[in-house]
Amino acid sequence: MSTDPELTDDWEYTLQVPADPMAPCIARRTLRTIFEEHGFPELADTAELLTSELVTNAYRYSDGPASVRVKQDGDRVRVAVWDTNPRLPRLDLAALPEADAEQGRGLGLVRLCADSWGGFELRDQPQGLSGKLIWFELGAG
């Protein structure tokens, strides 16, 4: 982690992405830049992969925009992806897709690669927000 005093304070970014097939690519590139510039280059590959999986799911299974929130808390970084579909995906460990499957592995990757992860439905929020939020955390060191 960087020892530059200006970069050691906790930080937070939010990226709004439209329901567009380029959203996962834009999210990946943005996440890589954030992680590298804030002194977490060792986490950039994993963050990029997991964020791409979650944003791809948001594009495929919701009918509106999505947002990605990235927040540092000490030596941990949390990435949360919100989309407009309130249904939480199920991770069925007994029916994981084959290794060469082209889809269906996203949450399995999150489960395997993240230090912790979860999700929850958002209904009737004060700002009129609804949908779901899926998050994961990665730690340095």
Side-chain angles (χ1 to χ4, degrees), residues 50-114:
L50 301 183
T51 302
S52 180
E53 292 294 333
L54 295 179
V55 173
T56 297
N57 287 348
Y59 170 68
R60 284 186 177 159
Y61 303 112
S62 69
D63 61 359
S67 68
V68 180
R69 181 175 165 204
V70 187
K71 182 177 181 6
Q72 177 191 357
D73 185 10
D75 65 348
R76 304 193 64 68
V77 180
R78 177 178 280 209
V79 177
V81 176
W82 166 84
D83 68 52
T84 60
N85 182 347
R87 278 196 353 232
L88 287 172
R90 258 181 28 131
L91 177 60
D92 185 357
L93 297 176
L96 289 176
E98 296 296 320
D100 60 349
E102 292 187 18
Q103 61 183 15
R105 296 184 309 221
L107 276 184
L109 287 171
V110 172
R111 179 180 173 265
L112 289 172
C113 298

Side-chain angles (χ1 to χ4, degrees), residues 12-17 30 34 66-71 80:
E12 180 177 339
Y13 293 88
T14 302
L15 172 66
Q16 307 292 330
V17 294
T30 302
I34 290 170
S67 68
V68 180
R69 181 175 165 204
V70 187
K71 182 177 181 6

